[in-house]
Amino acid sequence: MKKVVVTREVFKETIDFLVDHFEVVPNQEDRLFDQQELFDRISDAEGIQTAGSDLVNDKFLDAAPQLKIIANTAVGYNNIDVQACSRRGVVVTNTPGVLDECVADYAIGLMISASRRIGEGERYLRAGQWKAMYLKQMLGLDINGATLGLIGFGRIGQAIARRAKGFGMRVLYHTRSRVSESVERQLKATQVDKRHLLQQSDVVMLILPYAKDTHHLIGEQELQLMKSKSVLVNIARGGIVDDKALIKALKQKTIFAAGLDVYEGEPQLDPEFLELENVVLSPHIGSASEPTRRAMAMTAAKNLVAFLANGDKPINLVRPN
Ligand code: DGY
């Protein structure tokens, strides 16, 4: 039987499904292996179900000479050197489609939390500082009627735009290629260049993949273009924002607030973020609802079975750029 390694804990039904097709090496204790332990586990694996936090590079691939497929349990795959996989004939798959609505919900949550100071309010209350209610207490920004600028307008971006319509928001988007006119009409969304989007938006939201050309897409210059009463939301990937530049903007209040689910170098994050009141911080949980995480794990497993057990085309093939 072909051997499949699952690097992190998944739901029981995913292991049960894989066991019907493969010799499975699970990690249901969710141990964090050191590099050598992990490399020993994958030494004779033909398939690996990775987590978004696993780094798949040449060294990793050297350790798994029989490998045929990496099934990443995430839609993003910047943790995987797809070119290196392709050079060795290793197929890469991801989990698109099953997390769009869940991530869109979360994006709206971060947008409202940052604009209406929800985290700050809770800290204030828990610290016993709330003595009275008064008119000018914790004034935030309105979401209703505001302009939302989406950088990235794929499935998740469009799911966010659908929700924004319900808040009466005007939607601008910036992408390399324009979406169809019918989608624009349906979502009341207008394509604009990046500069225009940054200058016009009350909320700038990032929902695009991380790649060399999106590294520090939002840096000091871009933050300077944003309105002083605007909010930046990053639910995409760390590294798209220059975190040092963002900290400076938040400290100097050249923007109002930020809502962040991802960071440069995560799970480490710049400790200066922790000292700021005007940023809402969460630990990369945009897709972390139970049904969605179940669906992601099963999607990855189905890719393994389709390709490695059934000899079919992988369902969610990632192509090298
Ligand atoms: C993804 O699927 O890429 C999300 O960021 C969750 O890891």
Side-chain angles (χ1 to χ4, degrees):
M1 253 186 159
K2 291 175 175 165
K3 185 165 158 184
V4 157
V5 171
V6 184
T7 62
R8 297 295 301 267
E9 184 183 10
V10 290
F11 296 93
K12 183 176 175 301
E13 71 262 17
T14 304
I15 300 295
D16 292 346
F17 175 64
L18 288 171
V19 160
D20 284 343
H21 303 273
F22 304 113
E23 179 196 338
V24 181
V25 180
N27 177 15
Q28 291 301 82
E29 312 81 45
D30 209 26
R31 281 187 50 211
L32 286 177
F33 299 113
D34 66 30
Q35 191 180 65
Q36 196 48 54
E37 279 178 306
L38 178 64
F39 286 0
D40 289 345
R41 285 173 89 84
I42 64 175
S43 61
D44 54 353
E46 291 188 55
I48 305 180
Q49 179 162 344
T50 48
S53 51
D54 291 315
L55 188 65
V56 178
N57 53 18
D58 272 311
K59 221 169 157 192
F60 181 102
L61 294 167
D62 283 344
Q66 300 186 40
L67 191 62
K68 312 267 182 323
I69 175 170
I70 295 272
N72 205 33
T73 315
V75 66
Y77 47 85
N78 57 305
N79 57 312
I80 297 173
D81 184 341
V82 183
Q83 300 277 3
C85 290
S86 160
R87 279 197 300 274
R88 296 166 192 251
V90 174
V91 157
V92 177
T93 63
N94 65 344
T95 65
V98 295
L99 47 82
D100 303 345
E101 303 301 326
C102 175
V103 175
D105 288 347
Y106 196 76
I108 298 291
L110 270 187
M111 171 176 78
I112 297 179
S113 298
S115 304
R116 296 296 305 276
R117 306 168 65 172
I118 291 179
E120 185 185 350
E122 190 186 351
R123 287 189 291 278
Y124 172 82
L125 188 146
R126 283 181 187 267
Q129 289 173 1
W130 189 30
K131 304 292 179 221
M133 191 186 143
Y134 56 95
L135 192 74
K136 289 175 120 183
Q137 194 169 36
M138 293 225 165
L139 300 179
L141 305 176
D142 270 331
I143 286 307
N144 65 84
T147 296
L148 171 64
L150 287 159
I151 302 189
F153 203 52
R155 287 181 314 268
I156 302 176
Q158 292 175 28
I160 295 168
R162 279 200 299 281
R163 286 158 175 77
K165 253 178 84 179
F167 287 97
M169 297 182 92
R170 180 166 80 110
V171 177
L172 305 177
Y173 75 93
H174 174 67
T175 47
R176 255 178 269 169
S177 39
R178 193 171 165 186
V179 302
S180 71
E181 272 181 40
S182 71
V183 170
E184 283 189 350
R185 235 190 344 267
Q186 212 188 334
L187 298 176
K188 291 202 172 71
T190 308
Q191 190 191 28
V192 293
D193 62 34
K194 189 171 112 185
R195 186 181 184 88
H196 182 100
L197 182 142
L198 293 168
Q199 287 173 330
Q200 297 290 313
S201 300
D202 301 301
V203 179
V204 173
M205 205 178 268
L206 307 174
I207 184 62
L208 72 167
Y210 176 79
K212 273 193 198 122
D213 60 344
T214 59
H215 181 74
H216 287 189
L217 185 84
I218 301 295
E220 192 163 347
Q221 280 177 12
E222 289 75 18
L223 289 160
Q224 273 166 9
L225 292 173
M226 289 174 63
K227 299 179 185 181
S228 58
K229 288 271 163 62
S230 69
V231 166
L232 178 74
V233 175
N234 188 4
I235 45 158
R237 279 292 182 270
I240 296 177
V241 176
D242 176 347
D243 283 352
K244 282 270 175 234
L246 176 59
I247 287 167
K248 191 172 161 201
L250 290 168
K251 271 187 176 167
Q252 296 181 350
K253 300 202 167 49
T254 61
I255 66 170
F256 183 77
L260 306 176
D261 190 40
V262 289
Y263 311 87
E264 288 192 284
E266 66 182 53
Q268 311 303 325
L269 71 159
D270 194 312
E272 286 198 84
F273 276 129
L274 305 176
E275 288 157 25
L276 296 171
E277 284 294 359
N278 56 347
V279 62
V280 179
L281 305 166
S282 67
H284 201 148
I285 52 172
S287 62
S289 73
E290 187 178 325
T292 295
R293 287 285 165 92
R294 281 188 190 275
M296 289 166 69
M298 278 309 280
T299 302
K302 283 178 185 166
N303 275 294
L304 286 169
V305 169
F307 181 71
L308 208 52
N310 300 343
D312 295 336
K313 276 194 185 155
I315 310 162
N316 307 112
L317 180 65
V318 171
R319 290 179 199 285
N321 287 324

